[in-house]
Amino acid sequence: MSKERALRRAEREREAAVVAAARAAEAERRERREARLRAVTSRLPRRRPRQRGVLVERRRKQVWATAALLLLANVLVFAFSHDWAARAMALAITPLAAPVLYTLLFRRRT
């Protein structure tokens, strides 16, 4: 009986050793992967968390609306104008018109 118990205990210990070795190998692989990831990401600039406030969200929506309107204007110019000079002029004027359009559309009322 005690030999049988000793054999079962030895078998359990062997199985536990195999599981522990597999766990250790997995932990080592995970650690190496995390070290590689840290080495690569340490060279990249850190992402700042996105601001979340009522005013920030409103401004973000206003900027997107202005950009959408300017993009729509450029698409219309490209669609209905066959003159490359007009198309180039529209593209050149767009960055200059953006702050003016933003101010006209979303000026603060005091």
Side-chain angles (χ1 to χ4, degrees):
M1 185 69 125
S2 72
K3 274 189 180 179
E4 216 174 281
R5 247 189 327 208
L7 287 174
R8 283 193 306 238
R9 188 179 69 217
E11 182 64 31
R12 279 195 311 268
E13 288 174 355
R14 236 187 334 263
E15 288 174 4
V18 168
V19 169
R23 220 179 270 141
E26 178 63 31
E28 185 180 342
R29 275 194 300 273
R30 192 178 320 113
E31 182 59 36
R32 281 195 314 254
R33 181 179 184 277
E34 288 172 1
R36 276 194 314 269
L37 190 63
R38 278 192 306 271
V40 170
T41 57
S42 68
R43 296 187 170 124
L44 297 174
R46 300 268 185 253
R47 263 187 97 183
R48 289 178 280 146
R50 188 172 175 177
Q51 292 181 344
R52 297 194 181 276
V54 176
L55 298 176
V56 173
E57 289 295 327
R58 185 172 68 185
R59 180 173 168 88
R60 190 174 294 126
K61 287 177 186 176
Q62 290 172 351
V63 168
W64 275 103
T66 305
L69 285 174
L70 290 170
L71 180 66
L72 178 66
N74 277 311
V75 167
L76 290 174
V77 167
F78 268 75
F80 294 114
S81 175
H82 299 293
D83 184 24
W84 281 101
R87 292 175 175 179
M89 185 62 70
L91 284 175
I93 289 176
T94 297
L96 300 173
V100 174
L101 182 63
Y102 182 85
T103 303
L104 289 175
L105 291 176
F106 305 112
R107 69 172 176 236
R108 287 187 277 167
R109 293 167 186 23
T110 55

